[in-house]
Amino acid sequence: MSKLPGNAGVSLLGDKSLEFYRDPVSFCQQRIEKHRSRMFLCRLMNRPTAFICSVQGMRELLCEKSSLFLKDPTDLMTNMYGDTIVTTNGKHSHTYKMSVYTVFKSLGTELVLGLFLNVRAEKQPELFQEISQLCTQHWHGLISAPVNVKVPMWSSGFSIALDARNKLMDIIKDKLENDKEGFVGSLGSLPLPDSSSAAQHLLLFISALIPKALASLLTSFTLALARCQAAEDPDYLCRVLLEVQRLWPPFIGGRRIADQDSTLMGFHVPKDFGVIYISHAVHRDPEVFQEPDAFLPERWSGRNEGHEHFLCSFGNGPRSCIGAKLTNVFLKEVCVYLLNNFDWCLDPPVQNLEYKWLPVSRPANPPTVTFTQRDHTLSVYFCEGF
């Protein structure tokens, strides 16, 4: 059993959270090179934390030893969602300029609100807009400092998010009580453990997580195929989507707490240490993925065929994201529609496509893409904000 390379420093003064959140990819890459190890120790959120940047370590943490590493009961997900199983177009005749990231995110929002809550934008526009705005405020609580402060004329982002959560819960509880159709009607009739369980899970299902994951992956898909020849073969499309997910995972990773002394990758991890897996680094593990920084969809029909379980965009193992399959269904449907109806390219062809990774991965600068349909051209702009 070896000692983890790196050090956790002293409480508060040794914390590296700000440096990590500024640029998590560079943060990890610098330490991988410094320690010559894809697992290292730092202090994050004022807790000694082991960083995992390899497929082997990710699989040990999330699959083989998942019972030894628990979700942090004090994390923002629990505060924002409560106790859940996760936390315990027609044709146009004109030219348009639009924010594709925003359009993809809106599409995802329409899908989840219609599917899970029976709220459709065309039938209940005011309620749809209210829920969408509250979901955005609620999401911002996940990326803000967990400080609940209210003073006259000002409230902290976390406080606003908690208020949004309460308003969403009121809407959800009303739907559970009065709507007897669709998913919400079926969920309301189930004999769940307690009265709040159904509402808390619906809050999770309609939250901004799925729309933002879809928008991130669809944005990366659009840019990736703008730089290579798109093929409409379904098998090739699956390989493209796997490669998009590998290179540009929508979320940076996930965090656990060691419930007892254990080992990962042969390194000792003491009880109460944090452990974080970094999906960007795991997906570029050169021991598993040759030419890890290259966009090579064909790898999934070659050396990495059958290795989909080495990806952790949506977690992995028994506690992986319950919305991963649904997100993939939505993703494939949209991509098939785009491939069947449009050609597209970067316009201009040379642009800065450097990514930002928090809170959701996407290009830091808003690139432009031209979509061409049979009888018109659409000039599309990626938004800069959330």
Side-chain angles (χ1 to χ4, degrees):
M1 187 185 302
S2 302
K3 181 182 177 182
L4 273 167
N7 67 82
V10 297
S11 182
L12 295 178
L13 293 177
D15 190 76
K16 301 296 182 182
S17 298
L18 184 58
E19 183 183 350
F20 173 76
Y21 288 124
R22 280 174 176 164
D23 191 343
V25 171
S26 295
F27 179 93
C28 292
Q29 190 58 44
Q30 289 169 5
R31 284 158 177 80
I32 289 170
E33 295 173 358
K34 176 181 178 179
H35 301 300
R36 298 182 181 179
S37 171
R38 300 191 74 85
M39 184 171 174
F40 55 85
L41 176 65
C42 272
R43 182 174 292 273
L44 187 72
M45 299 175 67
N46 205 33
R47 183 192 292 267
T49 299
F51 282 71
I52 292 178
C53 302
S54 74
V55 168
Q56 177 192 341
M58 179 274 293
R59 294 286 295 174
E60 283 188 38
L61 174 68
L62 300 183
C63 301
E64 299 161 22
K65 300 181 179 180
S66 62
S67 63
L68 305 181
F69 296 90
L70 308 180
K71 296 258 186 175
D72 184 356
T74 65
D75 72 1
L76 292 177
M77 285 288 286
T78 303
N79 282 305
M80 288 294 101
Y81 294 102
D83 292 324
T84 69
I85 58 177
V86 171
T87 59
T88 58
N89 256 318
K91 294 185 177 182
H92 305 276
S93 56
H94 305 285
T95 298
Y96 296 90
K97 291 182 179 180
M98 65 185 77
S99 162
V100 171
Y101 180 87
T102 300
V103 169
F104 287 151
K105 186 173 65 174
S106 296
L107 172 63
T109 300
E110 288 194 34
L111 287 168
V112 296
L113 292 187
L115 178 61
F116 295 119
L117 215 55
N118 281 353
V119 175
R120 290 170 173 79
E122 69 278 8
K123 293 184 178 180
Q124 298 172 283
E126 292 182 0
L127 180 59
F128 179 86
Q129 288 300 325
E130 179 186 5
I131 297 175
S132 298
Q133 183 177 359
L134 288 171
C135 285
T136 298
Q137 294 173 349
H138 182 233
W139 161 263
H140 288 163
L142 294 174
I143 56 176
S144 63
V147 179
N148 189 4
V149 177
K150 283 185 179 181
V151 296
M153 306 299 292
W154 184 84
S155 297
S156 66
F158 188 70
S159 176
I160 292 172
L162 290 177
D163 287 343
R165 178 188 183 276
N166 293 334
K167 292 176 183 178
L168 285 169
M169 289 292 282
D170 289 341
I171 294 172
I172 291 168
K173 289 175 181 177
D174 179 72
K175 296 289 289 185
L176 284 167
E177 182 177 345
N178 299 304
D179 199 332
K180 306 304 179 184
E181 297 181 357
F183 183 88
V184 64
S186 299
L187 187 63
S189 64
L190 292 177
L192 296 172
D194 58 74
S195 58
S196 63
S197 183
Q200 287 174 343
H201 282 84
L202 269 178
L203 176 65
L204 176 67
F205 298 159
I206 70 168
S207 74
L209 292 171
I210 291 177
K212 285 183 177 291
L214 274 173
S216 172
L217 290 168
L218 284 169
T219 297
S220 297
F221 168 82
T222 302
L223 294 180
L225 288 197
R227 292 178 290 182
C228 69
Q229 184 177 1
E232 297 181 12
D233 173 66
D235 292 334
Y236 182 76
L237 175 59
C238 289
R239 295 193 288 271
V240 166
L241 292 176
L242 284 170
E243 192 68 348
V244 166
Q245 185 183 146
R246 185 187 72 83
L247 284 173
W248 303 289
F251 305 115
I252 195 65
R255 185 167 173 263
R256 300 290 188 271
I257 304 296
D259 192 42
Q260 62 186 61
D261 284 5
S262 185
T263 60
L264 289 170
M265 296 178 60
F267 295 110
H268 177 56
V269 180
K271 176 178 167 50
D272 294 330
F273 266 43
V275 182
I276 184 170
Y277 62 93
I278 305 298
S279 54
H280 179 280
V282 171
H283 292 180
R284 299 180 190 231
D285 184 349
E287 294 294 320
V288 176
F289 301 106
Q290 293 182 347
E291 298 183 71
D293 296 322
F295 180 74
L296 300 172
E298 55 272 19
R299 75 170 75 244
W300 297 101
S301 58
R303 185 176 187 267
N304 294 115
E305 184 175 6
H307 287 178
E308 293 87 346
H309 58 289
F310 289 164
L311 300 179
C312 55
S313 300
F314 299 98
N316 206 308
R319 298 299 300 275
S320 61
C321 176
I322 60 173
K325 290 185 178 180
L326 181 63
T327 299
N328 284 332
V329 170
F330 290 164
L331 186 65
K332 288 179 182 178
E333 288 296 323
V334 175
C335 291
V336 167
Y337 178 83
L338 290 175
L339 287 170
N340 287 341
N341 291 277
F342 296 94
D343 293 315
W344 64 89
C345 62
L346 286 170
D347 185 12
V350 178
Q351 299 181 47
N352 180 5
L353 300 180
E354 184 177 350
Y355 267 57
K356 56 176 288 184
W357 301 100
L358 288 171
V360 178
S361 67
R362 62 180 184 83
N365 297 310
T368 58
V369 177
T370 295
F371 281 75
T372 304
Q373 204 173 8
R374 289 173 179 82
D375 58 351
H376 64 276
T377 299
L378 297 173
S379 295
V380 181
Y381 285 79
F382 289 75
C383 73
E384 195 165 12
F386 280 88

